[in-house]
Amino acid sequence: MMYLPKGWRNEKTFENIAQGAARKSDKEFMKFLYVTLSSIAELETQYILSKEIGLTGGSEKVEKIIERERMLAMGLIRHLKNK
């Protein structure tokens, strides 16, 4: 499991996936995966804003983790659509 550095964690992402996986249908699971993508976008926006206002110098590692989370969620959505 991948973790963002302390202060950058987005627990909503993991919670959304867990809640969706517990649903009875793939369609319901996909709804939670789309919410997960929204949470990832929120995290990315917070990260970008923090760089722009000088709270952080940026981190390639954080950017890769955000992108990897996005790709994993999108991969799950694709898998469920093609089932």
Side-chain angles (χ1 to χ4, degrees):
M1 183 176 285
M2 298 165 289
Y3 293 97
L4 294 171
K6 191 171 184 166
W8 287 103
R9 294 182 66 176
N10 188 4
E11 283 82 8
K12 287 194 297 184
T13 300
F14 301 112
E15 291 169 5
N16 290 332
I17 292 171
Q19 287 177 6
R23 299 299 170 160
K24 293 182 181 181
S25 73
D26 289 346
K27 185 176 180 179
E28 286 182 284
F29 187 14
M30 283 195 336
K31 284 174 58 176
F32 280 87
L33 290 171
Y34 282 114
V35 172
T36 296
L37 286 175
S38 295
S39 296
I40 293 167
E42 287 176 24
L43 176 67
E44 184 175 34
T45 300
Q46 293 167 359
Y47 172 71
I48 291 167
L49 289 173
S50 72
K51 285 191 325 184
E52 288 181 2
I53 63 175
L55 293 176
T56 183
S59 166
E60 188 175 322
K61 181 178 179 179
V62 171
E63 292 168 12
K64 285 182 180 181
I65 292 170
I66 291 170
E67 184 58 26
R68 193 172 317 170
E69 281 192 25
R70 180 184 294 111
M71 296 305 291
L72 288 170
M74 289 172 57
L76 277 170
I77 291 168
R78 258 191 312 276
H79 171 74
L80 292 171
K81 280 184 176 180
N82 294 324
K83 254 177 116 175

